[in-house]
Amino acid sequence: DGGITQSPKYLFRKEGQNVTLSCEQNLNHDAMYWYRQDPGQGLRLIYYSQIVNDFQKGDIAEGYSVSREKKESFPLTVTSAQKNPTAFYLCASRRGRQDSTEAFFGQGTRLTVV
Amino acid sequence: GIQVEQSPPDLILQEGANSTLRCNFSDSVNNLQWFHQNPWGQLINLFYIPSGTKQNGRLSATTVATERYSLLYISSSQTTDSGVYFCAVNLGSARQLTFGSGTQLTVLP
């Protein structure tokens, strides 16, 4: 089935550690996005990529890094510089580089710092 | 200021009732989507509706882009409709979807 796969579903991290969240899509979509959701709030954009080997910062990029080496994959690294990383992380993709196409989301990864 | 505003923030209904959720936005849009976030956190696509009216079963949506608002109608609500409903738009020349803060819907049996 075509879709967006995020892994793991749950992730626990010790303070000071970097962790990488996986996002893979087999929809042949050009653009991919990472959002963060805190309890009771909407989604905020961390990073996005509209083409392989290129990405742009979103509204809350500090403490995060990404790569886009393959069209299908857009991993997000939460670094130790992120002061409050506990949140729900959602990956999305859309066809083409235009902003007028429909976006689809993965099932999310819940990150907890312990 | 607020770019995407949803109302009401919370809504409690009895099963079988109808409801209207509103999304106001502060700029022209070339993309507007409505999502339902289920209890497990997954965002389910309801409508892609930058303008006009669409219907899907008990749900329908209308976007009036010139007046900068969109409405989501839920008829004959069911307990499974409970969850958070988000409106998201591409504002102006922005590349990304900007989300509203959502409407928390609770449907009581």
Side-chain angles (χ1 to χ4, degrees):
Chain A
D1 286 351
I4 302 169
T5 301
Q6 291 188 238
S7 62
K9 196 169 183 178
Y10 298 95
L11 188 56
F12 297 88
R13 187 195 96 172
K14 292 182 179 179
E15 284 193 27
Q17 287 183 337
N18 293 354
V19 288
T20 298
L21 283 58
S22 171
C23 178
E24 304 276 334
Q25 54 96 2
N26 60 5
L27 300 168
N28 199 32
H29 284 177
D30 291 291
M32 297 185 74
Y33 305 80
W34 274 106
Y35 287 86
R36 169 182 172 139
Q37 186 180 28
D38 293 288
Q41 299 187 25
L43 280 67
R44 294 182 291 167
L45 183 70
I46 305 172
Y47 268 98
Y48 66 100
S49 167
Q50 296 194 290
I51 193 171
V52 173
N53 292 324
D54 187 48
F55 46 82
Q56 280 77 42
K57 293 182 178 180
D59 300 322
I60 55 167
E62 185 175 353
Y64 300 97
S65 66
V66 293
S67 63
R68 188 86 187 277
E69 297 177 2
K70 298 186 301 180
K71 187 176 184 179
E72 303 79 19
S73 179
F74 192 41
L76 173 74
T77 297
V78 184
T79 76
S80 56
Q82 170 50 236
K83 297 305 177 189
N84 186 20
T86 295
F88 187 49
Y89 292 87
L90 286 151
C91 177
S93 71
R94 64 186 352 162
R95 176 177 49 87
R97 298 174 213 167
Q98 297 179 10
D99 315 310
S100 56
T101 57
E102 188 174 4
F104 296 88
F105 283 79
Q107 293 187 316
T109 293
R110 293 194 184 276
L111 173 63
T112 303
V113 174
V114 296
Chain B
I2 297 174
Q3 297 181 302
V4 183
E5 189 173 34
Q6 291 186 242
S7 60
D10 296 279
L11 186 58
I12 300 175
L13 301 173
Q14 206 67 39
E15 198 168 27
N18 302 330
S19 61
T20 301
L21 282 58
R22 188 177 180 101
C23 174
N24 292 334
F25 41 91
S26 58
D27 201 347
S28 59
V29 297
N30 53 24
N31 181 11
L32 188 147
Q33 293 185 239
W34 283 98
F35 297 91
H36 176 213
Q37 189 167 39
N38 66 22
W40 297 272
Q42 186 169 9
L43 283 175
I44 309 297
N45 288 42
L46 296 178
F47 293 102
Y48 166 69
I49 186 167
S51 63
T53 298
K54 291 185 177 180
Q55 182 160 4
N56 183 5
R58 297 182 295 105
L59 273 61
S60 64
T62 295
T63 297
V64 184
T66 54
E67 297 186 21
R68 300 185 180 173
Y69 73 87
S70 183
L71 302 174
L72 177 68
Y73 305 96
I74 304 174
S75 64
S76 304
S77 58
Q78 301 175 359
T79 56
T80 52
D81 294 332
S82 296
V84 183
Y85 289 80
F86 286 107
C87 166
V89 304
N90 276 97
L91 288 171
S93 59
R95 294 285 188 185
Q96 72 273 16
L97 283 173
T98 298
F99 279 75
S101 54
T103 293
Q104 173 75 58
L105 175 65
T106 303
V107 181
L108 303 174

